[in-house]
Amino acid sequence: MIGYILRRLVLALPTLFLVAIMVFFLVRLIPGDPAQVMLGEGATPEAVAALHKELGLDQPIYTQFAIWFGHLLRGDLGTSISTGEPVGRLLIDRAQTTGIVVLLSVGLATLIAIGAGMVAAWRRGSLLDLAVMSGASLILAIPSFWLGLLLLLVFGVWLHWLPVVGYIPFSEDPLGALLFLILPIATLTISESGVLIRMMRSSAIDVLRLDFVTHARAKGLAERTVLMRHVFPNAFAPTLTLVGLTIGRLFGGIAVIETVFTLPGLGRLMVTGVLARDYPVVQGCLLFTALIFVLVNLLVDLLYPLFDPRVTVQ
Amino acid sequence: MRRQAHKLLGLGLTGLLIAIVLIGFVWLPYDPLAIDLDHALAAPSLAHWLGTDEFGRDVAARAMLGARTSVLIAVETVTAAIVLGTMLGLVAGFLRGWTERVLMTISDALLAFPGILLALALISVLGSGSLSIVVALAVAYLPATIRIVRGSVISIREREYVEASRVAGDSALYTMWKHVLPNAMPPILILATSLFGWVVLSESALSFLGVGVPPPAPTWGNMLSSARPYMYTASWLSIAPGICIVLTLLGINMLGDALRDRFDPRDNA
Amino acid sequence: MRKALSGLILIAIVAGVCLALARRAPPRAEGSILRVRINADILSSDPGMKRDFNTDAVLMHVVEGLVAPREDGTIVPMLASGWTLSPDKRTYRFTLRPGIRFHNGAPLTSADVKWSFDRYLGADSHWRCKSDLSKKGIAAITAMRTPDTHTFEVELDRPAPMFLGTIARIDCGSTAITHRDSLGADGKWKQPIGTGPFRWDTWRHNQYIELRRFADYRPLPGGTDGNAGGKHALVDRLRFMVIPDSSSAAAALLRGSLDLVEGLAPNELGGIRGAKGIRIASALSAEELSILLQTGDPVLRDVRLRQALAISIDVAAVTRAASRGWGRANSSPIAVSSPYYGAQERLLIQRDLARARALVKASGYKGEPIELIASHTPPDMYDAAIVIQAMAREAGINLQVVVLDWASQFARYSAGQYQAMIFQFSARLDPSLMFGVLIGDRATDPRKVWNTKDAIDLLHQSTVLDGAARQAVLDTLDRDFRAQVPAILLYNSRRISVMRSSVRGFRPWQAGTQRLWNVDAGGAG
């Protein structure tokens, strides 16, 4: 088991290395000079050149890469060009916010998907099934940020139930912070449940057709037991894979939700980093999300055998 | 029977979309680029069915023109991603070994890339315009396509007719083309419809973030984005393009479902 | 199912307990506090060195220079009580005000002034005005003397009427006089120890900067007057909160967790405008929105085409649309709020479609697409671009709007790689500075759009003249500007500030920096 985990991590290294190279060069390909952006309009060329020197941007690009990579191997992600803060610390702060939103949302969406998907598969062809499928289809068609804007409009402006925008750091006031997170989490939960419901329902239907289910029923087991102890574990595997992919994707791709709800998360950090040409931040963000991707998928693969006994961890 | 309803609804909505796009080529209620500052931010009325935006431009006309742009971008992106992804997925799944390892590593690395970074980089190289968006989105969805095709091919290659073909001495290329590819088509087709929906959503998200098709050309995404400051004062500006996206995706997804039903023999209960 | 349910209940209980334990009561506020907003974290606490607009605004509360600009931009004494100019106009003799102390209690002496000046002009310094006070600039400082503890003398290599204006520049940190204890033992900058009404307290990166009232501050007589005048700290603590998103800031203001939001764009006022307990104050700013034109471009080379573009635009309508009616249309590079804004500058270029079309025809323009670059920050730029494109179209000029992100646009601006570009220039209080942004040798500085020899000469003249003679030169520059059209001015923006009604004493001004002295939070802290 440990050997498997280690092997997987080692196999992931070339991917991460490739990501590191791609980000490094791609972000410098975009025109725009971080020093210029920082010093603003009216800055003298000498000031810009001086700042270049200070930031190490005057070196040839391969040297810059070597320096950055060397630091990376020692665990030093560098400092943000815009704020001077260590990138590592920035990432951890932002990842907390994003992490809370993503994990809570995907967790809730998974629970909803299991419930709705199982019930729809169990009562296939019924009105309930139709309702669940239509609901899932509708959810799949709605852009998440539009949903977020609508929820803001309804709950924030028209009903005044929830704050429209803003954020309190979790460490300062957890209860207050949660108030600001309700809408984004609700939005994301609804958005992500669509595809999870369909996946759960589809695999549950497949499993319900199998012989051993008929056997279990014939043995006289209660329907609830059949569903929860026999059907669900076997049907959950593909949904689990999807959950893993979703978590990995959301960590990097949540920028739009964070923009709508003005949350200081990873997604927005990357977007503002790109717009400010804050190279160390962009590089750090991308490596971090790639790492999360690898780790989450590894976790999913480890959990897989729990749900699908035919699968072994090779 | 319920399935019939779904299929009809899907066809109906998709047909409506195509109709609107085609009509848009010959007739639009107003010039979508014409500015009329005296009638800016007008609520929906008989004169302007969906109201006007902050420059007085007719929202309905812009939505129709936006349909054309969004659909074009989606079609181009899906074609590129599917064609390239199928080729690479075929090769990876069929040849396996080191080829597969290398391709999947590159594919995974691409997966970590957020669309906005790619889009910004491409715009700087290719200039701003739909081409950059198409390339950026095609690259963004390539890894998923490769993965899915590869997964399909891996199981197909174990089937007897493929083995027979190889034993008979056919070249790998011939086998892939004649035997594997046709059998992999159903999931690819279904993937294409899902992709279409994702691309429309992604394009609107990119426009929302400010990286999109250049103005004054409307896309549903940039209409949503510019509607944001007026959310409370002129909410129709954000509702119209949103509903367009929802209806389009509903239609496409339902069509995809109908396709899946047709191709999956087990699913006939 | 039952197990899952009980599991969930257990998790909920544990979570609840954790939250209850983790929640701490907010720290007790001591004294009164004024909470204001900046839209990005400051770059450094070292005045004039590594700075941007927000950095300047915050630091002006902590440090002061020898002289400072008044509300209309004219220069008056600050730390100096006065000065004399030698007959050859090259030596300035400043007398320091008595009894001024630094935040660490040390008295202000001329040695401190010289130390600060040496630091700004040092070889390794990144001081923004360093090149202005060099041979290539307005004048180089050849000597600095401290005849006694309250006299400071500066000798220049040539007469320079703009010298005082230069050292008063807010973007140069107002050449603030800081104490050498601002540096640590290693010689690196620690934090500013200045003479301002507030002292530096805390800087929590990306969250807020907090300043505290300096009890021993000796204000000048009078009230708020530009960066000069009597500056009284009416609150014990001043907190600049970093809130990048404007709607967040507006929401925080409405909720009561902010007292003042300065510098909102007109289209960000949506939800606040009629709200209860909220007041809006505004002032015309010296910021200018303009269209820069590349006169060397093959298509734009013909001046008739540029003139056609200028008169195809209804400047008043563009102003109304882009600034939502808040800005003031202006065809002159000299700001409306400047004392040099005279009869010539007041002339507004009127739209004349017929003449525009005729000029287009005469220039031989065949409808080639002309790229007009704009970005979404600030939002006016984009709106202006759309409207201008439509207006130019009616005259037969084919403008293609290209929207870039700010960094890309700025790169193109700095390299001169554009045909036409909408650009917003930050506030400059001196008209020569404003013209100076446009005029120069394009070969050495691609940012300059106007590079005729006459313009460069006139600009130079404007920096060495004074009074009516200077106004005449500026008027000539303005006339030539409109004839040669290297750029088209659109309007001066307005600084809009929104605050809680309990906030008293706040006034925005043309330089844009928010001034929180003489401002009271009204007990709502």
Side-chain angles (χ1 to χ4, degrees):
Chain A
M1 177 58 84
I2 305 287
Y4 173 72
I5 296 180
L6 281 178
R7 210 165 357 119
R8 278 290 294 267
L9 287 176
V10 165
L11 280 177
L13 285 178
T15 309
L16 291 175
F17 183 67
L18 199 58
V19 171
I21 296 183
M22 279 162 69
V23 181
F24 189 89
F25 289 99
L26 195 66
V27 85
R28 280 163 179 72
L29 193 69
I30 312 173
D33 180 344
Q36 244 174 24
V37 172
M38 249 180 34
L39 295 177
E41 179 249 313
T44 55
E46 293 92 26
V48 176
L51 192 51
H52 274 175
K53 196 144 177 285
E54 185 185 313
L55 295 171
L57 293 173
D58 56 337
Q59 317 244 18
I61 194 166
Y62 297 102
T63 319
Q64 288 186 45
F65 181 75
I67 294 177
W68 176 68
F69 200 71
H71 284 243
L72 185 64
L73 290 176
R74 274 176 282 149
D76 176 11
L77 284 165
T79 50
S80 156
I81 290 180
S82 312
T83 66
E85 277 177 274
V87 174
R89 194 157 54 96
L90 255 180
L91 284 178
I92 293 179
D93 283 343
R94 298 303 190 105
Q96 276 175 10
T97 314
T98 304
I100 292 173
V101 173
V102 169
L103 291 174
L104 275 179
S105 306
V106 176
L108 283 172
T110 311
L111 287 176
I112 294 176
I114 294 174
M118 293 282 293
V119 167
W122 184 46
R123 285 275 169 265
R124 182 158 179 221
S126 71
L127 209 54
L128 187 60
D129 180 25
L130 183 64
V132 168
M133 278 304 282
S134 308
S137 295
L138 187 62
I139 288 174
L140 276 174
I142 300 182
S144 58
F145 60 94
W146 189 60
L147 181 63
L149 284 174
L150 280 182
L151 289 179
L152 261 183
L153 195 61
V154 170
F155 290 100
V157 180
W158 291 346
L159 293 175
H160 283 288
W161 285 358
L162 291 167
V164 172
V165 281
Y167 182 75
I168 299 179
F170 211 66
S171 47
E172 226 176 80
D173 180 8
L175 232 49
L178 266 176
L179 205 61
F180 290 110
L181 295 179
I182 291 180
L183 278 181
I185 292 179
T187 307
L188 213 48
T189 305
I190 298 176
S191 284
E192 297 303 323
S193 56
V195 67
L196 289 175
I197 291 177
R198 288 165 65 107
M199 179 62 85
M200 190 71 229
R201 173 183 175 278
S202 160
S203 23
I205 289 177
D206 283 349
V207 172
L208 275 170
R209 261 203 292 256
L210 294 178
D211 288 342
F212 81 92
V213 172
T214 325
H215 283 174
R217 284 190 178 132
K219 274 205 287 189
L221 287 176
E223 194 64 10
R224 181 185 293 170
T225 318
V226 173
L227 281 176
M228 290 323 291
R229 304 270 295 281
H230 294 275
V231 178
F232 167 67
N234 288 292
F236 187 55
T239 309
L240 182 62
T241 314
L242 201 52
V243 168
L245 282 174
T246 304
I247 294 181
R249 170 177 56 89
L250 281 179
F251 256 95
I254 200 185
V256 184
I257 294 279
E258 287 174 3
T259 303
V260 170
F261 294 102
T262 56
L263 296 172
L266 268 185
R268 268 183 95 208
L269 179 66
M270 206 218 41
V271 171
T272 41
V274 171
L275 293 177
R277 310 290 189 268
D278 196 337
Y279 302 143
V281 167
V282 178
Q283 289 154 204
C285 270
L286 275 163
L287 273 179
F288 187 77
T289 46
L291 188 63
I292 300 251
F293 211 84
V294 166
L295 289 176
V296 169
N297 281 321
L298 176 59
L299 193 62
V300 165
D301 283 355
L302 286 176
L303 288 175
Y304 219 84
L306 283 180
F307 294 98
D308 189 345
R310 293 173 294 172
V311 174
T312 48
V313 175
Q314 319 107 312
Chain B
M1 236 240 291
R2 300 236 159 76
R3 195 138 314 138
Q4 280 295 89
H6 261 226
K7 184 159 38 165
L8 283 177
L9 198 54
L11 275 173
L13 284 173
T14 313
L16 183 62
L17 174 70
I18 297 178
I20 291 184
V21 171
L22 290 176
I23 293 177
F25 278 107
V26 279
W27 175 83
L28 290 169
Y30 286 85
D31 177 359
L33 308 180
I35 295 191
D36 182 6
L37 294 173
D38 294 324
H39 295 111
L41 294 175
S45 63
L46 278 176
H48 293 276
W49 303 330
L50 293 176
T52 63
D53 68 6
E54 67 269 28
F55 295 110
R57 299 178 295 198
D58 180 58
V59 175
R62 288 178 68 76
M64 285 176 71
L65 187 56
R68 187 197 309 176
T69 318
S70 304
V71 166
L72 264 176
I73 290 181
V75 166
E76 289 169 15
T77 308
V78 170
T79 312
I82 292 280
V83 168
L84 201 55
T86 305
M87 283 195 321
L88 292 173
L90 253 183
V91 168
F94 194 78
L95 296 179
R96 307 221 67 182
W98 273 108
T99 322
E100 183 194 19
R101 191 84 61 83
V102 166
L103 276 175
M104 295 321 287
T105 305
I106 299 179
S107 171
D108 284 346
L110 266 180
L111 207 50
F113 253 81
I116 183 171
L117 181 57
L118 215 45
L120 265 180
L122 282 165
I123 286 176
S124 66
V125 173
L126 300 169
S128 63
S130 2
L131 182 61
S132 320
I133 310 290
V134 170
V135 177
L137 288 177
V139 171
Y141 285 107
L142 204 54
T145 317
I146 297 178
R147 254 192 193 272
I148 292 177
V149 172
R150 161 192 171 262
S152 212
V153 168
I154 285 181
S155 56
I156 291 178
R157 83 201 277 275
E158 305 302 331
R159 298 192 193 158
E160 314 82 39
Y161 49 84
V162 174
E163 270 223 47
S165 170
R166 296 294 271 135
V167 161
D170 293 334
S171 75
L173 209 60
Y174 183 78
T175 313
M176 281 198 282
W177 177 251
K178 207 74 194 322
H179 295 283
V180 182
L181 184 57
N183 285 287
M185 279 318 280
I188 293 179
L189 274 179
I190 294 165
L191 176 64
T193 53
S194 303
L195 253 187
F196 191 92
W198 293 339
V199 170
V200 172
L201 283 179
S202 296
E203 183 270 319
S204 61
L206 277 180
S207 296
F208 188 79
L209 287 175
V211 184
V213 174
T219 69
W220 291 333
N222 67 23
M223 286 171 76
L224 268 177
S225 162
S226 24
R228 202 175 161 207
Y230 307 101
M231 221 171 47
Y232 312 141
T233 45
S235 36
W236 60 88
L237 288 180
S238 31
I239 295 180
I243 297 217
C244 289
I245 298 179
V246 171
L247 289 178
T248 302
L249 257 60
L250 259 180
I252 301 287
N253 286 340
M254 287 188 185
L255 209 58
D257 282 349
L259 267 179
R260 182 180 303 124
D261 284 351
R262 196 179 169 296
F263 283 114
D264 186 358
R266 297 176 304 161
D267 212 27
N268 290 321
Chain C
M1 185 58 90
R2 205 167 301 146
K3 266 213 279 209
L5 197 57
S6 43
L8 272 173
I9 295 179
L10 189 61
I11 293 177
I13 294 177
V14 171
V17 170
C18 286
L19 284 177
L21 285 176
R23 185 179 192 172
R24 291 179 294 263
R28 237 173 203 297
E30 7 148 335
S32 53
I33 182 171
L34 183 65
R35 298 150 306 177
V36 302
R37 170 239 190 181
I38 46 177
N39 65 0
D41 199 10
I42 64 175
L43 295 184
S44 113
S45 65
D46 194 355
M49 297 296 196
K50 184 165 145 188
R51 41 72 54 201
D52 64 354
F53 181 78
N54 288 313
T55 313
D56 297 338
V58 171
L59 286 175
M60 287 305 103
H61 295 79
V62 183
V63 299
E64 298 167 317
L66 289 173
V67 294
R70 298 187 62 182
E71 206 84 355
D72 65 357
T74 51
I75 308 299
V76 291
M78 189 69 233
L79 286 179
S81 60
W83 62 85
T84 58
L85 191 53
S86 64
D88 66 352
K89 307 237 183 172
R90 285 172 46 205
T91 307
Y92 288 79
R93 192 166 226 253
F94 296 93
T95 315
L96 299 179
R97 267 165 61 205
I100 303 215
R101 290 193 175 268
F102 285 100
H103 296 146
N104 61 357
L108 171 71
T109 66
S110 53
D112 299 303
V113 179
K114 182 161 186 308
W115 181 82
S116 289
F117 268 77
D118 281 334
R119 192 165 168 266
Y120 287 123
L121 298 166
D124 290 330
S125 136
H126 300 168
W127 190 45
R128 185 153 160 114
C129 279
K130 198 160 111 170
S131 57
D132 294 83
L133 289 182
S134 69
K135 279 222 245 306
K136 310 179 288 179
I138 56 159
I141 295 184
T142 51
M144 291 188 284
R145 289 180 285 267
T146 56
D148 62 58
T149 56
H150 277 72
T151 312
F152 178 69
E153 242 178 48
V154 174
E155 196 181 299
L156 306 171
D157 66 348
R158 62 198 117 124
M162 282 186 64
F163 174 67
L164 292 177
T166 304
I167 62 174
R169 274 169 61 174
I170 299 176
D171 60 324
C172 293
S174 62
T175 318
I177 311 301
T178 50
H179 193 269
R180 66 193 71 213
D181 284 355
S182 307
L183 305 181
D186 54 356
K188 286 222 176 85
W189 181 266
K190 256 183 15 199
Q191 65 177 52
I193 298 183
T195 56
F198 292 92
R199 52 191 305 172
W200 191 261
D201 190 74
T202 326
W203 181 8
R204 276 226 239 157
H205 284 261
N206 264 310
Q207 286 189 45
Y208 63 80
I209 299 117
E210 191 162 295
L211 309 176
R212 281 180 185 275
R213 180 215 306 257
F214 177 44
D216 291 330
Y217 183 72
R218 308 273 233 94
L220 285 170
T224 309
D225 189 2
N227 215 27
K231 303 191 249 181
H232 302 255
L234 296 182
V235 289
D236 297 309
R237 292 184 298 145
L238 181 54
R239 185 182 277 208
F240 293 86
M241 309 195 52
V242 181
I243 306 181
D245 189 83
S246 299
S247 20
S248 286
L253 184 72
L254 287 171
R255 205 172 40 242
S257 31
L258 264 190
D259 300 306
L260 173 74
V261 178
E262 196 280 326
L264 280 182
N267 68 356
E268 291 163 344
L269 293 176
I272 322 188
R273 234 165 141 178
K276 268 184 29 201
I278 300 295
R279 200 158 51 86
I280 298 185
S282 70
L284 265 181
S285 157
E287 291 168 321
E288 317 191 328
L289 198 70
S290 59
I291 309 175
L292 299 177
L293 299 170
Q294 195 60 256
T295 53
D297 179 76
V299 179
L300 288 171
R301 201 199 315 257
D302 194 313
V303 67
R304 287 169 294 194
L305 183 59
R306 302 198 301 271
Q307 285 168 347
L309 182 60
I311 60 176
S312 70
I313 299 174
D314 179 356
V315 187
V318 172
T319 308
R320 259 198 324 270
S323 74
R324 305 284 185 280
W326 286 88
R328 177 89 67 88
N330 183 7
S331 296
S332 166
I334 298 180
V336 168
S337 46
S338 168
Y340 289 93
Y341 189 72
Q344 161 64 28
E345 290 76 24
R346 216 174 300 259
L347 297 170
L348 213 56
I349 297 181
Q350 299 296 330
R351 184 177 211 213
D352 188 339
L353 263 186
R355 214 174 124 234
R357 292 198 188 108
L359 280 169
V360 168
K361 209 149 151 242
S363 72
Y365 174 67
K366 290 186 185 38
E368 302 95 303
I370 300 173
E371 254 191 13
L372 177 65
I373 297 180
S375 97
H376 280 289
T377 26
D380 323 19
M381 245 200 250
Y382 174 80
D383 294 347
I386 301 294
V387 177
I388 288 167
Q389 178 191 44
M391 289 179 174
R393 200 156 69 133
E394 292 181 46
I397 304 179
N398 182 9
L399 289 179
Q400 309 258 318
V401 176
V402 172
V403 175
L404 300 175
D405 67 300
W406 170 242
S408 300
Q409 175 182 10
F410 199 53
R412 300 274 287 262
Y413 162 73
S414 307
Q417 274 169 7
Y418 57 91
Q419 286 180 296
M421 177 185 289
I422 306 239
F423 202 77
Q424 181 174 66
F425 287 105
S426 45
R428 283 163 173 85
L429 296 180
D430 188 285
S432 297
L433 285 178
M434 194 53 233
F435 271 113
V437 173
L438 301 168
I439 301 175
D441 180 10
R442 216 185 3 242
T444 50
D445 190 349
R447 295 173 299 179
K448 313 290 187 189
V449 287
W450 198 8
N451 62 345
T452 61
K453 183 165 182 320
D454 289 337
I456 296 176
D457 287 340
L458 280 171
L459 176 65
H460 176 75
Q461 276 181 48
S462 76
T463 63
V464 297
L465 290 173
D466 223 335
R470 191 179 191 212
Q471 180 75 56
V473 170
L474 290 171
D475 288 349
T476 314
L477 261 178
D478 192 271
R479 258 191 301 270
D480 290 349
F481 179 75
R482 290 152 191 259
Q484 296 171 31
V485 199
I488 301 170
L489 256 296
L490 297 170
Y491 60 84
N492 289 128
S493 342
R494 203 172 255 278
R495 287 314 282 197
I496 306 171
S497 306
V498 190
M499 65 202 89
R500 303 197 61 75
S501 309
S502 52
V503 171
R504 289 182 304 247
F506 181 80
R507 234 174 44 223
W509 70 307
Q510 58 161 331
T513 50
Q514 46 185 329
R515 303 164 300 177
L516 285 329
W517 46 83
N518 303 332
V519 177
D520 202 330

